[in-house]
Amino acid sequence: MPKYLTLTDYAQITGSAPIKRETHGWRAKCLQRLVRMDMPVPQTIALSFGVVREIATGAQMNLRHLLGHFPQDQLLSVRPSAEHPQWGGPAAILNIGMNDEKHAQISAAHGEPVATALYLRFVQSYAEHVAHLDPDMFDAPDPCLPALQAALRDYEMEMEEPFPQSPAQQLADVLRSMARAWEGTSARLLRQAKGAPADAGLGLVVQAMAGGMGTGFSGAGLIRFIDAETGAPTVAGRFKTQGINGMDAMQNGQDTLFMARDPRGPSLEEHCPEAYAELLQHGARSRERLREEMEIEFTLDNGKLWVLDAVTVPRSSRASVRVAVDLANDGFIERDEALMRIAPKALSEMLHRQVDPQARAEVFVRGIAASPGAAIGRIVFSSTAAQACAARDEPCILVRRETTPEDIRGMHSAHAVLTERGGMTSHAAVIGRGLGVPCVVGASRMEIDERRKTLRAGSHVLQEGDMLTVDGTNGLVLIGEVALLEPALDDRFATLLDWADARRDIGIRANADTPADARLAREFKAQGIGLCRTEHMFFEDDRLTLMREMIFADTPEDRSDALERLLPMQRADFRELFEIMQGQPVCIRLFDPPLHEFLPHSKEGLRFLADALNKPLSEITRRAEALSEFNPMLGMRGVRLGVTIPEIYEMQARAIFEATAELARQATPVVPEVMIPLVSAMREVELIKSRIDAVAAMVRSKQGMDFSYRIGVMVETPRAALRAGDIALHASFLSFGTNDLTQMTYGLSRDDAGRFMSDYVQQGVFPEDPFHVLDLDGVGELLELGAGRGRRSRSDLTLSICGEHGGNPESIRFCRALGFDYVSCSPFRVPVARLAAAQLAIEDQ
């Protein structure tokens, strides 16, 4: 069986193995399809992965058999053909066979400048990629005869031998060099970073160089049939007269033409309408038969068209969605295939402004990409300054060592957030994703000087008020104003997600703390709110004062008085959420954070609080110090507050049920879900549930309205997961809060782990950051145990996760396998989760 398969004559080679993507690569398979569609592809030979591996190990090649498929003195090109185009490969080598004799022949036929340009280009490419010489030595901006002579002389001096004149030797050296380059360590690591397996193979495609040098209308071009940014149908590209490679045409010059008629200059459509019309036919046929939008590299030789290659048009996420939907609507692919073609992450990019990949930018610092999108603004170092900028309608970037709940208003006002500390589930990251604000955290190589109002990273020192661009998608902070691309939500985006909803088999809810969050959840078609963190409602100025009064109350009566004044505000909050969600479930987590988070941290803030409460500063300071804890994440928070200070939860329950009763009176269906946080023991649930039930009975009696509600538990401690069977006896649902559960399982602070997490991942301690990708072995086992034990106690138990892992495709896969009812994530991750869930259902089918 011959090892070399000709694409133009493949059916005539007896015993030839079929060309497959898995054995010869995507380019070979694509060219074979072009041949089968009767496109004018030059004579082409495909070398399989196995043959290329033999070449890399030094095996001798039967070049006589290979070259026998080409006319004598035919110039050749060699291009890589990996299994997937994104895996790359060594650079293509053109004009193999150029030598002194061929230079003379082409000079006589087409003129010395054409021959010299071909020869010089080959010498430059051969010297760099085959001989591995310094490319700067052969850089010649003017392809003239003296430059060619100098290049040949430099090659001989460096290699201590003349430039090879034998076409067979040239081809053998090129093939061997490309095969070995693929097996090199750097190339292997690079393609593995792009998702290729370590043992991925490389095919090579040897092709006759076709035309482009004729005395008639000749040249090379590249044509595509969609706009690469939007995906809209159009004809774009360039044609270079007397070119030999379609990519040359994209470097606009005096001898390049537009593809279609264009007021800016001459076009191929005007100069050679027959070839232009033929290209349009090939494009339409490629779309139908290859079921893709392709760009075609071609040459013209005295007006005759040759198709050298066709590749998928490089495109934006927006264009990818449009192409997939349009192909499905036109009947070329199934809807399921359209869904599978779009990476869930691509939808996230479409929801936010992004840094223009073509923009020139200087990196100030790198950090963790905590919330996607990009924004430009002036540096500010406090929430107060951020709010002042918002009042002046000036965009700003809030820069903090780490954010706290006290920074919520500043984060609402800022266009982006940058923190020195933190990880994927730190306060800044979670709130940033919820708000849809670009956020970079864990930028540990920058230094903040709040006193001098400066920000330093390396040799760069920036002042408050200087402009920054934050790229939360890639974890970069860029100096100055960098060009951005606008979000790209359109009818194709909505159509794709409607198709996804028809295929997925797990619910998708949103984490929403405010009416604005709830509206976003509705806009992105979440099936309810899976986590409403009520503490975020208390940081507005009027409410914060009342919260502090409650905290500093001397008696239960004084505490109840402050809470009584908070009650109507909470009731209005819940009523608005219920109205926005229009009968969809709203899961409200009762108050969770430790009380010290509501107190000022500076002396100035404590003095202001003493004035507001009319108490001595010494008393305020003493009480504030008494409330501080060595480890507040493990201290007096969550259900522990509800047990020891029951007035807080009773006020919240009353607000929930009074809002429910008001809407029930208007025939608006509401079934609130009340979630108890940080549970560790069944008795905690019993105590809180009995008080909530008592409040519900009181509201029913006073309002004269009946209503339904559900009480559940947020499973955030390992003990709650292990004792889920007991806890489920008193709960309608269990929602796993994987942020805290991961933190407690690992004994890691989610705010501080970013300082060393990259080292741990790089050294293989953890395969991934467990706050970014759910740990299926440890935390996942707790989920599995908790879900199983809970369901055994109560068969109708609703199961979900509401941590940030809820928007991660692998986490959704795990939850589906455990039979969870829904996942909940930040509103901007809802579209990603909807698509990922659909793809998982399709994979299972």
Side-chain angles (χ1 to χ4, degrees):
M1 181 186 300
K3 294 179 178 178
Y4 315 112
L5 311 177
T6 173
L7 299 180
T8 47
D9 295 329
Y10 62 89
Q12 301 174 18
I13 298 181
T14 304
S16 64
I19 293 177
K20 297 180 180 179
R21 186 173 178 142
E22 298 80 12
T23 57
H24 292 75
W26 70 271
R27 176 171 270 121
K29 187 62 182 177
C30 181
L31 285 169
Q32 184 190 52
R33 288 171 173 164
L34 299 184
V35 170
R36 287 175 170 171
M37 289 188 287
D38 295 325
M39 291 191 191
V41 177
Q43 188 76 7
T44 305
I45 306 294
L47 279 63
S48 69
F49 297 169
V51 170
V52 174
R53 285 197 179 98
E54 289 182 25
I55 294 172
T57 59
Q60 295 299 311
M61 298 181 58
N62 185 354
L63 287 178
R64 180 175 299 177
H65 175 84
L66 191 154
L67 291 174
H69 290 284
F70 298 101
Q72 191 174 4
D73 296 329
Q74 172 69 57
L75 296 182
L76 303 174
S77 68
V78 179
R79 302 172 190 254
S81 180
E83 185 172 344
H84 195 287
Q86 292 184 353
W87 295 354
I93 307 292
L94 310 180
N95 305 324
I96 300 165
M98 275 301 299
N99 53 24
D100 295 345
E101 181 182 352
K102 193 66 175 177
H103 180 269
Q105 293 175 2
I106 296 176
S107 295
H110 304 292
E112 178 269 324
V114 173
T116 296
L118 292 174
Y119 200 179
L120 179 58
R121 178 168 184 166
F122 177 52
V123 171
Q124 292 169 329
S125 181
Y126 190 95
E128 177 181 356
H129 299 293
V130 180
H132 304 293
L133 300 178
D134 185 353
D136 291 341
M137 293 178 55
F138 300 89
D139 186 24
D142 182 18
C144 57
L145 190 58
L148 171 62
Q149 294 167 341
L152 291 169
R153 198 165 50 245
D154 290 342
Y155 181 92
E156 183 171 358
M157 184 180 301
E158 289 294 316
M159 298 298 294
E160 298 182 353
E161 62 181 17
F163 187 80
Q165 296 294 302
S166 164
Q169 180 187 344
Q170 291 176 0
L171 179 60
D173 290 346
V174 166
L175 294 173
R176 189 177 302 110
S177 175
M178 293 177 74
R180 289 176 175 172
W182 178 259
E183 299 296 337
T185 301
S186 297
R188 185 175 67 255
L189 292 175
L190 182 61
R191 64 177 178 266
Q192 282 183 263
K194 297 176 181 178
D199 60 348
L202 177 74
L204 293 175
V205 168
V206 183
Q207 188 177 75
M209 297 290 293
M213 301 177 297
T215 55
F217 191 76
S218 303
L222 191 72
I223 186 171
R224 60 177 56 145
F225 307 95
I226 60 166
D227 183 290
E229 184 58 39
T230 67
T234 189
V235 177
R238 290 286 193 275
F239 179 80
K240 182 179 178 67
T241 57
Q242 296 300 323
I244 58 167
N245 176 23
M247 299 306 294
D248 292 340
M250 302 312 289
Q251 301 173 4
N252 197 11
Q254 292 184 348
D255 54 352
T256 60
L257 310 179
F258 291 98
M259 196 57 55
R261 294 179 188 272
D262 196 295
R264 293 172 292 176
S267 67
L268 179 66
E269 183 180 10
E270 296 168 299
H271 281 75
C272 195
E274 298 84 1
Y276 178 79
E278 189 177 350
L279 284 167
L280 295 185
Q281 293 174 0
H282 292 325
R285 194 178 303 123
S286 296
R287 184 174 188 268
E288 178 182 355
R289 298 277 295 277
L290 301 182
R291 305 179 308 145
E292 248 298 1
E293 291 288 359
M294 312 293 288
E295 64 179 24
I296 296 175
E297 185 180 351
F298 67 94
T299 60
L300 291 178
D301 189 30
N302 295 321
K304 175 175 173 51
L305 176 69
W306 291 98
V307 173
L308 306 183
D309 202 1
V311 300
T312 302
V313 176
R315 64 194 68 159
S316 69
S317 298
R318 178 184 180 185
S320 295
V321 169
R322 174 164 184 159
V323 167
V325 171
D326 286 353
L327 286 171
N329 282 334
D330 292 342
F332 296 139
I333 63 175
E334 298 294 327
R335 289 182 177 182
D336 281 2
E337 183 173 346
L339 289 168
M340 296 302 292
R341 285 190 177 192
I342 307 301
K345 183 182 177 182
L347 298 189
S348 181
E349 295 172 3
M350 294 175 66
L351 296 169
H352 307 273
R353 301 171 82 193
Q354 301 289 338
V355 170
D356 186 343
Q358 306 301 321
R360 301 181 65 180
E362 183 177 4
V363 175
F364 174 66
V365 73
R366 299 174 187 272
I368 298 171
S371 180
I376 300 169
R378 299 188 182 279
I379 297 171
V380 297
F381 292 101
S382 70
S383 289
T384 303
Q387 292 172 78
C389 282
R392 298 191 300 269
D393 201 25
E394 292 180 358
C396 68
I397 308 297
L398 178 60
V399 181
R400 304 286 285 161
R401 282 193 174 86
E402 56 188 337
T403 62
T404 67
E406 202 171 8
D407 292 311
I408 290 289
R409 287 172 292 165
M411 296 178 72
H412 272 280
S413 301
H415 281 53
V417 176
L418 168 63
T419 67
E420 177 185 346
R421 301 170 184 166
M424 283 300 295
T425 55
S426 63
H427 180 270
V430 172
I431 302 305
R433 286 192 291 272
L435 297 175
V437 171
C439 182
V440 173
V441 302
S444 57
R445 296 195 176 183
M446 71 177 186
E447 299 174 12
I448 301 172
D449 189 330
E450 294 187 10
R451 187 171 63 84
R452 293 188 174 89
K453 304 294 184 185
T454 61
L455 188 63
R456 178 190 297 273
S459 61
H460 297 290
V461 180
L462 302 177
Q463 308 286 332
E464 185 167 51
D466 288 346
M467 299 298 290
L468 278 181
T469 299
V470 172
D471 181 357
T473 302
N474 299 300
L476 300 177
V477 181
L478 310 171
I479 294 175
E481 300 182 53
V482 180
L484 303 181
L485 301 176
E486 294 301 315
L489 304 183
D490 53 24
D491 58 341
R492 267 74 170 196
F493 177 88
T495 297
L496 187 82
L497 287 177
D498 286 344
W499 294 349
D501 289 341
R503 295 295 279 116
R504 63 183 171 85
D505 53 11
I506 188 171
I508 309 293
R509 294 196 197 179
N511 300 341
D513 307 331
T514 65
D517 294 342
R519 292 188 187 95
L520 268 177
R522 291 286 299 174
E523 182 181 340
F524 293 141
K525 296 188 177 181
Q527 295 169 290
I529 294 175
L531 173 63
C532 174
R533 292 164 284 216
T534 53
E535 59 269 14
H536 293 161
M537 300 173 176
F538 293 112
F539 283 97
E540 297 298 328
D541 287 333
D542 53 348
R543 305 179 187 203
L544 188 58
T545 301
L546 289 173
M547 278 296 297
R548 289 170 172 173
E549 284 187 29
M550 186 273 294
I551 292 169
F552 282 92
D554 295 316
T555 65
E557 291 76 19
D558 290 342
R559 187 183 302 126
S560 295
D561 180 65
L563 290 169
E564 190 71 24
R565 284 180 285 161
L566 278 170
L567 174 66
M569 301 177 187
Q570 278 272 272
R571 183 172 59 235
D573 291 331
F574 297 139
R575 175 176 175 137
E576 188 171 6
L577 285 177
F578 294 152
E579 288 176 332
I580 291 169
M581 297 312 294
Q582 299 178 11
Q584 290 188 323
V586 177
C587 183
I588 299 168
R589 183 179 75 182
L590 297 175
F591 192 87
D592 179 53
L595 294 178
H596 80 90
E597 289 193 358
F598 293 88
L599 302 182
H601 303 291
S602 65
K603 290 183 179 179
E604 181 183 355
L606 291 171
R607 280 195 296 268
F608 179 84
L609 180 58
D611 289 340
L613 299 181
N614 193 26
K615 290 180 180 290
L617 176 61
S618 60
E619 181 182 343
I620 295 295
T621 303
R622 177 178 55 80
R623 298 276 292 274
E625 289 174 352
L627 283 170
S628 66
E629 300 178 79
F630 287 109
N631 195 335
M633 295 306 293
L634 300 179
M636 181 71 87
R637 55 170 285 217
V639 70
R640 299 155 195 170
L641 279 171
V643 171
T644 57
I645 311 176
E647 297 92 343
I648 297 176
Y649 280 9
E650 288 171 0
M651 180 275 290
Q652 290 193 301
R654 183 178 161 193
I656 293 169
F657 296 140
E658 287 182 355
T660 301
E662 287 180 16
L663 292 175
R665 188 171 287 109
Q666 300 171 13
T668 301
V670 178
V671 180
E673 299 175 349
V674 182
M675 184 157 66
I676 308 170
L678 210 72
V679 165
S680 297
M682 177 181 68
R683 181 59 179 161
E684 291 172 322
V685 184
E686 287 181 311
L687 290 171
I688 300 302
K689 184 177 185 301
S690 66
R691 290 169 183 162
I692 292 174
D693 288 340
V695 172
M698 182 268 292
V699 172
R700 283 189 180 117
S701 176
K702 291 183 67 173
Q703 297 283 338
M705 292 295 301
D706 194 18
F707 52 83
S708 300
Y709 62 94
R710 304 173 75 215
I711 295 178
V713 166
M714 191 169 184
V715 180
E716 302 166 89
T717 67
R719 192 177 194 280
L722 295 172
R723 304 305 302 168
D726 296 337
I727 291 171
L729 296 173
H730 305 280
S732 298
F733 62 89
L734 299 181
S735 186
F736 291 82
T738 54
N739 296 350
D740 266 341
L741 187 57
T742 298
Q743 180 171 243
M744 295 188 186
T745 302
Y746 275 85
L748 289 174
S749 165
R750 67 191 197 192
D751 292 310
D752 298 324
R755 299 181 186 181
F756 60 84
M757 189 56 68
S758 61
D759 291 334
Y760 261 51
V761 173
Q762 288 174 9
Q763 296 183 49
V765 180
F766 302 151
E768 297 284 352
D769 180 345
F771 293 110
H772 182 47
V773 177
L774 182 65
D775 164 33
L776 302 184
D777 296 329
V779 180
E781 186 172 357
L782 287 172
L783 263 66
E784 186 173 4
L785 287 170
R789 292 174 181 180
R791 281 260 170 90
R792 282 195 291 274
S793 291
R794 184 168 184 163
S795 60
D796 63 345
L797 184 71
T798 298
L799 296 173
S800 67
I801 64 170
C802 58
E804 281 303 300
H805 296 107
N808 181 280
E810 288 306 311
S811 303
I812 297 172
R813 182 193 301 275
F814 186 70
C815 291
R816 286 182 69 250
L818 293 181
F820 277 41
D821 296 278
Y822 69 86
V823 299
S824 187
C825 53
S826 58
F828 280 97
R829 301 187 81 178
V830 166
V832 176
R834 290 164 64 192
L835 177 59
Q839 291 179 343
L840 292 169
I842 293 169
E843 284 180 10
D844 282 355
Q845 184 184 41

